[in-house]
Amino acid sequence: MLHKAVQVRLYPTALQKALLAQTFGCSRWWWNYALNKSIQVYQDTGKGLGQVALNALLPKLKKAEDTLWLADSYSQVLQATTLNLTTAYKNFFEQRAGFPKFKSKHSKQSIQYPQNVKIVDSNIKLPGNIGIVPAKIHRPIEGKIKTVTISKTPSGKYLASILTEVEGENPTISEGKIYGVDLGIKHFAVVTDGEKISKYDNPKHLAKHEKNLKRKQKKLARKQKGSKSRNKYRQVVATLYERVSNSRQDFLHKLSHKLVSDSQAVIVENLHVKGMVRNHNLAKAISDAGWGTFNNFLAYKLERKGGKLVEIDRWFPSSKLCSNCFYKVSEMPLDVREWTCPNCGSDHDRDGNAAMNIRTEGIRIIKAEGAAVSAVGGEVRPHLGRKSKIGHSPVSTEADTVLGTPSQCG
């Protein structure tokens, strides 16, 4: 079975917006209540609350005088919220994510319907009292609908992410190029297939809008808190952040598609981005680049095609090795962009040389797993037993618009 996700735009009526706002509020309140309850129980007993124990609290809350309004919410939405919270706890304890956070009404709002959602005349029918919501479905919805996540962005747009299950087997690929990719700041990516080196400049999406963002944020800060003017202008700032996010994701989608379309494997470094952004001189540029998102895009697109994404260790000295004779220099400061190997005399461009070494190391890893490759690409058969360390979802999440959640808007 294969899973795919398609994100579509919704255009709810005024009544449906009110009902969705009520459901968002119930889900958000239940998440915060359940999270607070879990923290208190853990502090008192040293044990947490599981999914069953948390769901058992809901019937009493729906009958209590202060929380009677919870009964108006579709029950499976609240149960899905419980599942998401317990999953967040599990990811925290297994060190895949940070500790779950309380949700704010000023940030992106979302709810999840685990079943009973239907496509009716190119619109989406939600269970409960919401009914058929007008939608713009830009591509066919294939397979059986598993879950649908409804969200409202800070700029006021409504979206539906439809997860479907499609019958079929994972494809395999045995032909195509093998790319080595060195990610950076000046050049977003330096890519080599073993013969040719290509450089893709960093678009610096945030920097292009930074002056406008600064001006609008100052204007927002002067608005009186709680006023209609402030709430209205918050959407103006959110829309600008959304534009930055959309342009960044458009660039990442196009570049990842270009690399995946004619390759059987892509080799990347396992960069420690969280540690790198501690450098305050580079933090904004690194965050703006979107290296992690790019690797995730490569991962699911290669997986869908039957290709392979290979990570090399972040401590691999890709910049210090001579790609010709593999001599390793002791130091390579960041300001050195070109250098000559003292052993063989080869002249190197720092980033191009690093990309060559990343590719060579990736091919060594693939060979160690038992796949046959040639020096210029050749044959690589994905080894199904190995799981990538990339923290990505195996679900395709392409959409005509991809929206961000700017924390500065709240």
Side-chain angles (χ1 to χ4, degrees):
M1 290 288 185
L2 302 175
H3 290 89
K4 292 184 178 182
V6 176
Q7 192 178 73
V8 302
R9 180 82 180 270
L10 299 180
Y11 299 89
T13 64
L15 176 59
Q16 289 172 334
K17 286 181 180 180
L19 293 172
L20 285 172
Q22 183 181 11
T23 309
F24 288 143
C26 291
S27 175
R28 183 179 65 250
W29 184 91
W30 169 237
W31 169 283
N32 291 339
Y33 180 90
L35 176 56
N36 183 61
K37 191 75 173 179
S38 298
I39 293 172
Q40 288 180 346
V41 171
Y42 184 80
Q43 290 174 343
D44 294 340
T45 66
K47 297 181 180 179
L49 292 175
Q51 182 181 355
V52 175
L54 288 172
N55 280 335
L57 300 174
L58 282 170
K60 294 181 181 179
L61 289 171
K62 291 179 180 180
K63 295 178 182 178
E65 185 176 351
D66 293 339
T67 52
L68 281 173
W69 39 267
L70 271 179
D72 296 332
S73 177
Y74 188 61
S75 60
Q76 291 190 7
V77 168
L78 300 180
Q79 292 171 13
T81 302
T82 310
L83 176 60
N84 291 336
L85 178 60
T86 54
T87 301
Y89 260 108
K90 183 178 179 181
N91 290 335
F92 167 71
F93 286 117
E94 294 181 2
Q95 299 183 342
R96 289 196 298 266
F99 190 79
K101 297 180 180 179
F102 291 97
K103 294 188 175 183
S104 167
K105 65 179 180 180
H106 298 301
S107 60
K108 180 179 179 179
Q109 306 296 306
S110 66
I111 52 176
Q112 192 174 80
Y113 290 91
Q115 59 183 6
N116 298 329
V117 178
K118 298 178 181 179
I119 306 298
V120 179
D121 297 330
S122 297
N123 296 316
I124 296 179
K125 184 179 181 181
L126 299 177
N129 55 359
I130 295 178
I132 298 176
V133 182
K136 185 174 182 180
I137 301 179
H138 58 283
R139 65 180 66 182
I141 306 299
E142 301 175 351
K144 180 182 177 183
I145 296 177
K146 300 296 291 182
T147 61
V148 175
T149 302
I150 309 297
S151 58
K152 181 187 178 184
T153 68
S155 65
K157 292 184 175 68
Y158 291 83
L159 304 171
S161 180
I162 306 171
L163 177 67
T164 60
E165 188 176 67
V166 183
E167 292 186 2
E169 298 180 356
N170 290 323
T172 58
I173 184 172
S174 60
E175 294 181 356
K177 296 179 180 179
I178 299 177
Y179 286 117
V181 181
D182 178 57
L183 299 175
I185 295 177
K186 180 180 179 181
H187 298 292
F188 174 81
V190 178
V191 181
T192 180
D193 59 1
E195 296 179 338
K196 178 184 176 183
I197 296 176
S198 302
K199 295 184 177 182
Y200 298 91
D201 290 336
N202 186 357
K204 298 181 180 179
H205 305 281
L206 184 62
K208 291 178 181 178
H209 297 271
E210 195 166 21
K211 188 175 181 180
N212 192 17
L213 275 168
K214 187 176 181 180
R215 183 173 64 251
K216 283 184 167 54
Q217 283 178 320
K218 278 186 176 181
K219 192 171 181 179
L220 174 64
R222 295 190 188 105
K223 302 285 186 181
Q224 185 177 353
K225 290 187 177 180
S227 66
K228 290 183 179 180
S229 178
R230 182 183 178 89
N231 290 334
K232 186 176 180 180
Y233 206 77
R234 184 187 291 116
Q235 288 194 359
V236 174
V237 178
T239 300
L240 187 53
Y241 271 104
E242 196 174 279
R243 191 180 306 159
V244 174
S245 177
N246 287 346
S247 61
R248 180 188 298 115
Q249 300 234 8
D250 179 69
F251 168 77
L252 298 178
H253 270 303
K254 287 177 179 177
L255 181 55
S256 59
H257 174 76
K258 183 176 182 179
L259 295 181
V260 169
S261 61
D262 65 345
S263 68
Q264 55 178 315
V266 178
I267 321 296
V268 298
E269 283 184 294
N270 178 14
L271 297 173
H272 183 38
V273 178
K274 188 175 181 179
M276 295 171 74
V277 296
R278 291 172 186 160
N279 182 338
H280 297 296
N281 294 324
L282 299 175
K284 186 182 292 186
I286 291 172
S287 299
D288 185 31
W291 296 334
T293 303
F294 180 66
N295 284 346
N296 288 344
F297 286 176
L298 286 174
Y300 87 74
K301 289 176 183 178
L302 282 163
E303 186 172 4
R304 182 175 61 187
K305 181 187 174 185
K308 189 176 185 66
L309 179 69
V310 179
E311 278 187 298
I312 67 170
D313 190 84
R314 66 184 59 162
W315 303 112
F316 177 73
S318 58
S319 297
K320 296 181 180 180
L321 283 179
C322 170
S323 57
N324 184 50
C325 68
F326 303 108
Y327 176 83
K328 180 182 175 183
V329 297
S330 58
E331 296 292 336
M332 184 61 63
L334 279 174
D335 59 345
V336 177
R337 310 314 301 175
E338 295 181 355
W339 60 284
T340 301
C341 176
N343 184 53
C344 67
S346 299
D347 294 324
H348 295 299
D349 170 80
R350 179 193 181 102
D351 297 331
N353 176 69
M356 292 289 291
N357 287 326
I358 289 170
R359 181 180 182 275
T360 302
E361 175 67 6
I363 291 175
R364 184 196 66 79
I365 292 173
I366 295 173
K367 285 182 176 179
E369 294 175 357
V373 299
S374 70
V376 294
E379 184 179 1
V380 176
R381 292 188 178 90
H383 186 71
L384 299 180
R386 178 180 182 272
K387 294 183 179 179
S388 170
K389 296 179 182 178
I390 289 284
H392 76 285
S393 166
V395 174
S396 164
T397 56
E398 291 187 11
D400 52 347
T401 54
V402 185
L403 307 173
T405 310
S407 59
Q408 293 89 338
C409 297

